[in-house]
């Protein structure tokens, strides 16, 4: 077990909605788990050997447990199916300490939390934290139907229930989320947080940008990257600035894989350009960004890239390694 991982016990497993199961994870000795901030996630090492990231939905002020929820994906690559099929109450799991790439902004006058489906999880954690801190917020939860929406009872019974609005695809038009209205009416010091399926996130972020929301007020976290066509990928080379070493990156290897082959290890987690773990400074050359972690503005600066998935537009990339 490395210093950044620990073994926890599945204290409770609960069916929350169609295809959604939650897991409460507790320490083996009953002590509090490492602290975390709202929006944090943990890596879960599945019995199958896969590693998957799940947001913590329980409140940061409940240090005795991490609660996560897992939607069984129709096209699971083994992660969500492994959690549903192989993880039972009483099992031990190896997890990372919490990491946070989806933190709340400090100093915002108001926080608008927009959840699509299982994307509710980090936002549920944020809502509890914001309520405890007396901050202004509203939570919009969009789901295909009530049967597919988790935690409805918890939302209805929360002290902050009046700040929650539910939006179901199969219910009346007047309860639908009207993004343009919501985004137009927000004050300039409101921050937006969105998590959910890719189509939902793109719709929200596109609408926010169309309504002139600046990037620093948009906060988002993707779950899974869409498949990328790699059939036209070419080879290039990476120069490690600190040693001046040149490493060829073949067309069929990622930068992190090719560097690992050459004895240079960059820490990775999701390997899909989502989590930000592998972020690396670019000194020269132009990356071909394929991640969902950097904002379009950050990508345009070309001074950092995610080498687990991104490639290069130039024949050489010089990295701060
Ligand atoms: Fe997650 Fe690269 S490992 S972004």
């Amino acid at each position: 077990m490395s210093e950044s991982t620990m073994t926890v016990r599945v204290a409770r497993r609960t069916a929350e909605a169609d295809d959604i199961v939650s897991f409460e994870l507790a320490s083996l000795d009953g002590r509090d788990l490492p602290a975390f901030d709202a929006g944090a996630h943990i890596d879960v090492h599945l019995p199958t050997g896969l590693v998957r990231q799940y947001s913590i939905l329980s409140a940061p002020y409940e240090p005795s447990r991490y609660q996560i929820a897992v939607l069984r994906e129709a096209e699971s690559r083994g992660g969500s199916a492994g959690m549903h099929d192989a993880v039972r109450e009483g099992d031990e799991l190896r997890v990372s300490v919490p990491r946070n790439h989806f933190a709340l902004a400090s100093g915002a006058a108001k926080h608008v939390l927009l959840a699509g489906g299982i994307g509710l999880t980090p936002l549920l954690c944020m809502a509890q934290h914001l309520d405890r801190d007396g901050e202004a917020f509203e939570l919009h939860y969009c789901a295909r139907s009530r049967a597919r929406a988790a935690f409805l009872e918890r939302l209805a019974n929360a002290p902050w229930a009046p700040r929650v609005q539910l939006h179901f695809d199969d219910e009346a038009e007047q309860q639908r989320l009207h993004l343009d209205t919501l985004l137009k009416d927000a004050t300039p010091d409101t921050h937006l947080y969105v998590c959910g399926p890719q189509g939902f996130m793109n719709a929200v972020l596109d609408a926010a940008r169309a309504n002139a929301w600046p990037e620093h007020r948009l906060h988002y976290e993707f779950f899974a990257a869409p498949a990328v066509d790699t059939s036209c990928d070419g080879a290039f080379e990476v120069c490690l600035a600190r040693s001046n070493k040149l490493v060829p990156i073949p067309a069929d290897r990622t930068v992190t894989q090719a560097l690992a082959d050459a004895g240079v290890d960059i820490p990775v987690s999701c390997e899909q350009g989502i989590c930000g773990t592998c972020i690396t400074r670019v000194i020269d050359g132009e990356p071909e960004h394929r991640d969902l972690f950097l904002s379009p503005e950050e990508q345009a600066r070309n001074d950092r890239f995610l080498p687990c998935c991104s490639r290069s537009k130039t024949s050489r990339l010089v990295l701060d390694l």
Side-chain angles (χ1 to χ4, degrees):
M1 191 165 73
S2 79
E3 278 178 27
S4 58
T5 64
M6 58 194 162
T7 303
V8 293
R9 174 167 289 116
V10 179
R12 185 173 299 173
R13 172 189 158 119
T14 310
E16 301 284 358
D18 287 359
D19 291 331
I20 299 177
V21 170
S22 74
F23 300 87
E24 276 186 41
L25 309 176
S27 67
L28 301 185
D29 59 8
R31 292 194 199 174
D32 285 349
L33 293 164
F36 64 95
D37 292 323
H41 69 271
I42 51 173
D43 293 350
V44 176
H45 297 249
L46 281 97
T48 54
L50 293 170
V51 180
R52 289 290 182 267
Q53 289 74 42
Y54 295 106
S55 298
I56 303 174
L57 66 94
S58 47
Y61 51 78
E62 294 177 350
S64 63
R65 63 179 187 148
Y66 300 150
Q67 189 178 16
I68 58 173
V70 181
L71 167 70
R72 182 193 282 275
E73 303 281 355
E75 293 180 13
S76 171
R77 287 174 286 182
S80 66
M83 289 294 291
H84 275 246
D85 297 339
V87 179
R88 305 280 158 213
E89 273 182 21
D91 285 357
E92 292 184 2
L93 280 178
R94 195 154 62 90
V95 302
S96 70
V97 295
R99 283 198 294 266
N100 200 345
H101 301 301
F102 190 35
L104 287 162
S106 57
K110 184 175 179 182
H111 307 264
V112 174
L113 315 177
L114 291 179
I118 193 65
L120 175 67
T121 51
L123 304 176
L124 186 50
C125 179
M126 288 177 176
Q128 295 166 91
H129 171 84
L130 291 167
D131 178 62
R132 167 69 68 107
D133 274 17
E135 294 206 42
F137 75 95
E138 60 189 59
L139 168 63
H140 295 262
Y141 182 18
C142 305
R144 279 164 41 198
S145 65
R146 286 178 190 269
R148 299 191 65 80
F151 308 114
L152 291 182
E153 207 177 315
R154 186 185 296 201
L155 294 173
N157 294 329
W160 37 271
R163 297 167 186 255
V164 178
Q165 290 183 46
L166 304 173
H167 310 276
F168 298 109
D169 292 353
D170 63 351
E171 295 192 11
E173 167 61 27
Q174 59 268 31
Q175 52 86 57
R176 298 273 168 84
L177 176 62
H178 294 288
L179 268 178
D180 276 330
T181 311
L182 179 78
L183 294 165
K184 271 196 199 99
D185 290 350
T187 58
D189 36 16
T190 297
H191 282 241
L192 188 71
Y193 305 78
V194 54
C195 189
Q198 175 115 28
F200 173 79
M201 298 194 51
N202 288 345
V204 171
L205 293 172
D206 288 351
R209 288 170 183 141
N211 279 283
W213 280 61
E215 290 296 328
H216 75 273
R217 287 168 47 212
L218 303 178
H219 309 268
Y220 45 89
E221 185 162 74
F222 285 88
F223 280 127
V228 173
D229 180 4
T230 56
S231 58
C232 297
D233 284 354
F236 56 99
E237 65 182 10
V238 156
C239 174
L240 309 178
R242 294 179 211 169
S243 60
N244 227 10
K245 184 174 173 180
L246 285 178
V247 179
I249 313 294
D252 61 348
R253 302 289 282 161
T254 66
V255 175
T256 48
Q257 288 168 344
L259 288 180
D261 293 345
V264 182
D265 280 318
I266 296 178
V268 290
S269 180
C270 71
E271 298 187 78
Q272 296 181 71
I274 297 169
C275 72
T277 303
C278 66
I279 196 158
T280 301
R281 211 162 76 79
V282 176
I283 295 172
D284 198 20
E286 187 179 349
E288 183 192 329
H289 296 285
R290 291 185 179 174
D291 66 282
L292 295 168
F293 180 77
L294 297 171
S295 69
E297 281 178 0
E298 289 170 329
Q299 289 187 344
R301 287 205 285 272
N302 285 328
D303 58 355
R304 295 182 299 167
F305 88 137
L306 283 306
C308 66
C309 61
S310 296
R311 300 190 68 81
S312 182
K313 289 183 179 168
T314 45
S315 60
R316 179 182 292 184
L317 276 185
V318 182
L319 303 182
D320 185 17
L321 291 170

